[in-house]
Amino acid sequence: MDKKKEGKEKAGRFQSWLDGETDIYAGVMETRPQKEYEPSPYFLRQQEKDRRRIAERVNNVEHNKEYRFFKRVYRVLAVVFALSFIVLLVMAVSWLPPVGQAANPDNNEVSARYIENGLQETGSVNIVTGMILTYRAFDTFGETNVLFIATCCVMVMLLVDEALLKKQGADNDRKYEPKNDAILQGMAFVLCPVIFIFGIYVILGGHLGPGGGFSGGAVMGAGLILYVSAFGFQKTQRFFNETVYKTAKITSLVMYGLVGSYFYITGANGLENHIPLGLPGHILSGGIILPINICVGIEVACTMYAFYALFRRGGL
Amino acid sequence: MAEWIRFIAGSLFLLIGMMIFCVQLFGVFRYKYVLNRMHAAAMGDTLGISFSLVGLMIFAGFQFVTLKFALVILFLWCASPVSSHLIARLEVTTNEKLEEYCEIREDMERENSAEAKKEEEI
């Protein structure tokens, strides 16, 4: 009876130690607080001596033979390396075929087909846009995904908790950054709408001339960054916060995926494509190019702004 | 004849622009202090690029592209001075030994310190 009780008690104590409730060593073992480390005066003197000796040797550049030798060899090697690199590059360029010859390897049946049938098959006056957004739409989809994944990774690393952000507030190294600058605000008030309109023009005119989603999105992202640096994050969050960012980004990516996969499936299986090509040269033409350009533009603008905001503030 | 006049005028403007760019590059690497370098750099961003673009406008003749060039000049003349102003203001607010490099008017100094105090209060 007695033994059983003892065993139970031991088991109970073991259980409570496992759970971290009691420390079985407390009160049983002799415990003493650790003494603070005090170096002896001899050691301190020796340390100071060593430090001075090393500093003298390191800073004595003029009488250091090894350093001077290294410096001379470094200079000679740098010149030799740069010269050999220049020679290599010039030789590589000199072996390139001259521009515009019919026998050049880039004049093959692929580019000939793009140039001959591109306008009829894609409905885009700008052949380059027609190429990257219809013939190579799958590749461009991958690029857009790369942008998405890149922002996701930056968010994982740099996104700071909202409460922590508020607590830090003006307490970081950006305390002395010029805030609410009247000249910048006046200029941004004039320039931001112009930049946004230009970005939209570049995105919508991608199939009619130079432009497209990537360049137009970059322009719009730059406009957003200008607005933030002029008016601050609080004013920007009224129309572009994390919810808007997530919605816009994911919606545009999914839209691109849907439009693109419809295009791949119908094209790969020889099915009829129901997206009208329109009249070449009109703004509503080019089949899937215009919607895809808009999606890519939103994606790129969000990415640019998110990078800026995450690196500067740790939040959107 | 008209073609020749246009060619000469356009290339003259382009050459002046290139020269200003050279002066800018020289200044950026010659000077050691931020505000001097900024002055040199801003000169190329406004004057040099506008001369070059006027030269290109003369080459392009009177068409839609010319208008775009003019808009680029307008944009750069808006953007470049503002960025220079911001760099200068950052230098003034962050450099503690500013009086070693340039003279400061007394009323300006007071204004700056008042501004800094206000920002600290916020």
Side-chain angles (χ1 to χ4, degrees), chain A residues 27-59:
Chain A
V28 181
M29 271 178 83
E30 187 188 7
T31 50
R32 221 186 296 164
Q34 209 172 15
K35 245 200 232 164
E36 212 166 295
Y37 172 66
E38 273 178 26
S40 65
Y42 171 74
F43 178 76
L44 276 180
R45 246 181 290 136
Q46 201 66 28
Q47 207 178 19
E48 186 61 31
K49 224 189 207 169
D50 284 351
R51 200 173 288 154
R52 212 178 301 142
R53 194 162 51 89
I54 291 169
E56 263 172 21
R57 267 192 66 186
V58 169
N59 294 333

Side-chain angles (χ1 to χ4, degrees), chain A residues 146-157 245 249 307:
Chain A
V146 165
L147 289 178
F148 182 74
I149 293 164
T151 33
C152 286
C153 295
V154 172
M155 271 175 119
V156 166
M157 286 194 288
Y245 164 79
K249 206 165 165 92
F307 275 164

